Amino acid sequence: AEYRLTLRADNADQRLTGLGEPIGIVGTARLTAFLEKLAQLEKARTLAAGLTLTSSEAARLGIAVRQDGARRSAAELLALPDVDMARLARIWPELDAIPPEIAEQLEIDAHYAGYLGRQEADIVAFRRDESLSLPGDLDYDAVAGLSTECRLKLTAVRPRTLGQAARIDGITPAALTLILAQVKAGAARRHASG
């Protein structure tokens, strides 16, 4: 999977239940349990977002954060490597009321939040660049770092857009990044000389 950070086992129900329910493969009991979990997650996320500390308060409690005076929520603190719900519940006892499976999901979501943000930006950028036209005379042998397999396939198919190149079997996201860089560098050279 190209964007595998979003395709985790812990969030499969959140990704797939909404897709399965309209086509009849999610039963009533499963849907009810899922909706209850979503309600609990939303309530816990709201609670964690509303509990905040300044950077100096966090430091006094032994939580290492940048001393910039900014307030950080419990949800943001969970993203730190040495912070978990048990530690935060010692600061805010109301967090103890969160069911263990919901607390675990909050911890997992917090740890992935930064990476998911970057991945989402990559997805948006790729979708924007997917329609980018590839020059008909693009020399794939000149694309540094491109594997021999990718060079051969791209030369044989001669895709017209980056999106078409992405759909060629065996063309990796890394290969697409190299092609995109080559095309943009060529456009910049033409712009500078023209």
Side-chain angles (χ1 to χ4, degrees):
E2 200 168 322
Y3 301 109
R4 58 190 160 273
L5 284 180
T6 57
L7 303 177
R8 305 183 318 266
D10 68 276
N11 69 4
D13 59 345
Q14 295 171 64
R15 289 182 292 105
L16 302 173
T17 304
L19 298 171
E21 193 266 331
I23 58 174
I25 60 172
V26 175
T28 305
R30 176 73 189 104
L31 182 61
T32 301
F34 171 69
L35 294 174
E36 175 61 27
K37 178 183 177 183
L38 281 186
Q40 289 179 345
L41 267 172
E42 187 56 36
K43 184 178 175 183
R45 286 178 179 139
T46 300
L47 176 62
L51 300 170
T52 63
L53 293 173
T54 64
S55 54
S56 58
E57 290 170 332
R60 277 195 302 275
L61 293 165
I63 299 174
V65 296
R66 193 170 356 123
Q67 293 300 302
D68 54 9
R71 294 192 77 80
R72 289 176 178 78
S73 70
E76 292 169 314
L77 294 172
L78 272 176
L80 299 173
D82 60 338
V83 177
D84 60 13
M85 287 297 282
R87 184 169 183 188
L88 293 180
R90 290 192 294 274
I91 300 167
W92 295 292
E94 57 266 50
L95 292 174
D96 257 340
I98 297 173
E101 66 278 1
I102 300 299
E104 180 182 20
Q105 187 68 61
L106 286 181
E107 288 178 358
I108 292 168
D109 290 348
H111 287 123
Y112 280 108
Y115 301 110
L116 290 171
R118 286 191 290 277
Q119 183 174 281
E120 184 61 33
D122 290 346
I123 291 168
V124 168
F126 176 75
R127 287 188 178 141
R128 181 187 62 239
D129 291 332
E130 187 175 31
S131 62
L132 177 76
S133 292
L134 299 178
D137 62 347
L138 181 60
D139 181 6
Y140 294 104
D141 290 329
V143 179
L146 204 56
S147 73
T148 302
E149 177 189 5
C150 288
R151 288 172 205 239
L152 292 171
K153 288 181 177 185
L154 290 162
T155 301
V157 175
R158 306 294 313 169
R160 291 194 310 267
T161 66
L162 193 63
Q164 286 178 343
R167 289 183 281 283
I168 297 171
D169 184 46
I171 303 300
T172 65
L176 295 172
T177 301
L178 294 171
I179 295 165
L180 179 61
Q182 180 82 6
V183 170
K184 286 185 176 182
R189 282 192 301 273
R190 284 190 299 279
H191 181 71
S193 66

